[in-house]
């Protein structure tokens, strides 16, 4: 739909969004909150918009 550059790798966006949550749950054994999920999604979207992913 044109929100992101065509070269963005959707799989990398998903990985970038999920990695912080995975880290909290399975590495540091901390609870993941809705705020954590929002922050991870915002960071992944910002990286995708910047053409990093």
């Amino acid at each position: 739909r044109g929100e992101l550059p065509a070269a963005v790798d959707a799989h990398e966006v998903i990985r970038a969004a999920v990695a912080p949550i995975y880290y909290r749950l399975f590495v540091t054994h901390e609870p993941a909150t809705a705020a954590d999920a929002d922050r991870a999604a915002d960071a992944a979207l910002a990286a995708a918009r910047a053409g990093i992913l």
Side-chain angles (χ1 to χ4, degrees), residues 13-41:
V13 174
I14 293 168
R15 285 184 188 106
V18 174
I21 303 303
Y22 182 92
Y23 178 80
R24 278 186 167 272
L25 293 174
F26 300 109
V27 176
T28 65
H29 303 286
E30 298 175 272
T33 66
D36 296 326
D38 288 343
R39 187 171 34 257

Side-chain angles (χ1 to χ4, degrees), residues 5-15 53:
V8 169
D9 183 339
H11 290 103
E12 288 302 319
V13 174
I14 293 168
R15 285 184 188 106
L53 299 177

